[in-house]
Amino acid sequence: MSDASASVPADASVKPISLSRFLIEEQRDKGQINADLRLLIEVVARACKRISIAVGKGALGGVLGSAGTENVQGETQKKLDVLSNEILLEANEWGGHLAALASEEMDDPHPIPNRYPKGEYLLVFDPLDGSSNIDVNISVGTIFSVLRCPEGVTDPDERAFLQPGTRQVAAGYAVYGSSTVLVLTLGDGVYAFTLDREQGGFVLTQSRLTIPADTGEFAINMSNLRHWEPPMRRYIDELLAGKTGPRGRDFNMRWVASMVADVHRILTRGGIFIYPRDLKDTSKPGKLRLMYEANPMAFVVEQAGGAATTGRERILDVVPTQLHQRVPVFLGSRNEVERATRYHLDADAS
Ligand code: FDP
């Protein structure tokens, strides 16, 4: 396994490039984005900076612990889940770049209030992913995805959002860890920006991140093993068998239990992240949400040369039927994702 990512590291002798300058150049020089999409990304980044500050205050900010409410998934909301959601809504609703927003923390899409102009984009986000980790000071993050509002739709409802991940025009996440890093794709490579806490802005620190095709590291919640389907067990059994097993090498396991942190590690040094379908509750085809987690992360991972499937098909090809739909997720180093997917397809065929 290669330990180092093939991405281009920041060169200390080169003048730092701010997120704003990066976006202006994407618009003006490359024609990759228009002014509205540039504004949208800048506003999301500003909201992430505010969330990062709130997360960083920890107990001093009075924001740790439960909010005493449940979201549409029946999960207990943390105070920071609610606060992060409000920060993203407030930041984005007045700029004129959005037609509507949808959040993992809200039952229905959030319309743009009539007093503000509407734009051509739809913003989808998980305001604070991995929030069960917040009270124990482990990395959490914000995940976002941008779609175009379908032509002719002026008051977008849930149906407007039900587009496959291939239609995303931008996606990314901010990970609030030992440093805050914003990872972004506009459909032409993956870029990472580190928050300069003194200056208050995001600075480009890695260009064209690349996930190695092979890896010796996997991330999965092993406590669910007894509920997995046979091909899933086969894949993990072979990894656990190590040098003397069919794979002929040892594999290492890492599980932060914050998807953003696990995906960020994989973008940095490779690996496979799996949240498979399990038979514990057959009404749920997985734990992670297609629109808020799987699609944006799949877009980022594919743009970095990795692969992302449900174990059976490419995540980005899944046509959503519900805003809060769940899917199994296999993503990261291409050769491992393809192998795990093949085991599932072979099992289905036999
Ligand atoms: P969380 O429930 O804390 O929000 O989004 C779901 C998620 O975290 C992911 O970030 C994480 O990868 C996964 O769930 C952790 O699941 P387990 O509790 O099964 O470990």
Side-chain angles (χ1 to χ4, degrees):
M1 171 192 138
S2 154
D3 243 13
S5 152
S7 61
V8 183
D11 178 348
S13 66
V14 175
K15 215 165 178 276
I17 294 180
S18 66
L19 175 65
S20 300
R21 177 172 164 187
F22 172 86
L23 292 171
I24 285 173
E25 288 177 355
E26 288 293 302
Q27 180 194 342
R28 189 186 55 200
D29 302 345
K30 291 205 212 156
Q32 184 71 20
I33 53 173
N34 63 21
D36 275 0
L37 186 51
R38 171 165 67 85
L39 176 65
L40 194 167
I41 303 295
E42 293 218 51
V43 172
V44 168
R46 215 174 300 139
C48 290
K49 194 167 77 179
R50 284 189 59 198
I51 298 170
S52 169
I53 292 168
V55 168
K57 283 190 177 155
L60 300 178
V63 289
L64 298 187
S66 163
T69 48
E70 281 189 354
N71 66 13
V72 62
Q73 333 275 342
E75 298 159 341
T76 305
Q77 288 178 306
K78 300 278 181 182
K79 285 184 197 161
L80 267 172
D81 282 324
V82 176
L83 179 67
S84 305
N85 196 52
E86 279 166 8
I87 288 174
L88 278 154
L89 286 184
E90 273 173 26
N92 278 288
E93 61 181 13
W94 54 269
H97 49 281
L98 286 177
L101 305 91
S103 162
E104 193 201 280
E105 297 300 333
M106 300 185 303
D107 298 10
D108 301 310
H110 178 85
I112 298 299
N114 284 334
R115 60 187 182 280
Y116 301 128
K118 276 190 199 149
E120 61 178 306
Y121 293 106
L122 301 171
L123 176 65
V124 179
F125 53 84
D126 178 354
L128 204 65
D129 182 71
S131 58
S132 55
N133 276 324
I134 192 74
D135 295 342
V136 288
N137 207 3
I138 289 176
S139 301
V140 289
T142 298
I143 310 174
F144 63 92
S145 155
V146 184
L147 295 160
R148 273 204 182 82
C149 187
E151 202 111 334
V153 176
T154 46
D155 291 306
D157 59 12
E158 174 167 355
R159 283 167 302 176
F161 287 83
L162 301 182
Q163 306 180 36
T166 46
R167 301 244 186 99
Q168 293 171 104
V169 293
Y173 61 85
V175 57
Y176 311 117
S178 45
S179 59
T180 288
V181 179
L182 179 81
V183 171
L184 172 70
T185 184
L186 301 168
D188 179 28
V190 179
Y191 296 83
F193 303 82
T194 303
L195 180 62
D196 181 331
R197 295 189 207 268
E198 279 76 44
Q199 304 291 331
F202 282 100
V203 178
L204 180 66
T205 40
Q206 276 174 297
S207 294
R208 299 209 169 270
L209 281 116
T210 309
I211 300 174
D214 289 301
T215 181
E217 212 160 61
F218 65 100
I220 195 162
N221 182 345
M222 287 292 293
S223 69
N224 293 324
L225 182 141
R226 68 191 183 287
H227 303 296
W228 293 341
E229 296 178 286
M232 190 56 227
R233 281 194 192 216
R234 173 187 169 199
Y235 177 72
I236 292 292
D237 282 348
E238 290 183 3
L239 300 188
L240 296 179
K243 263 201 185 91
T244 53
R247 302 293 306 271
R249 63 177 295 190
D250 291 333
F251 288 82
N252 187 30
M253 196 192 99
R254 286 283 179 274
W255 182 247
V256 182
S258 266
M259 189 189 195
V260 273
D262 280 310
V263 170
H264 196 62
R265 184 188 57 254
I266 287 168
L267 265 184
T268 309
R269 67 181 192 208
I272 178 169
F273 170 97
I274 310 178
Y275 214 113
R277 174 195 181 89
D278 67 42
L279 307 172
K280 195 167 35 181
D281 176 356
T282 45
S283 68
K284 290 184 186 162
K287 177 176 183 188
L288 302 178
R289 272 51 60 125
L290 174 61
M291 310 274 313
Y292 309 105
E293 292 161 321
N295 270 341
M297 290 309 200
F299 191 22
V300 167
V301 163
E302 283 200 3
Q303 283 293 316
T309 75
T310 63
R312 289 175 164 93
E313 64 177 316
R314 184 183 177 213
I315 286 175
L316 295 182
D317 285 337
V318 175
V319 180
T321 53
Q322 289 169 357
L323 201 51
H324 295 281
Q325 180 174 342
R326 295 172 194 260
V327 283
V329 172
F330 295 64
L331 60 77
S333 292
R334 171 168 294 283
N335 290 340
E336 287 306 313
V337 173
E338 286 176 355
R339 177 187 284 265
T341 305
R342 193 168 68 241
Y343 287 6
H344 284 75
L345 295 176
D346 288 352
D348 291 351
S350 65

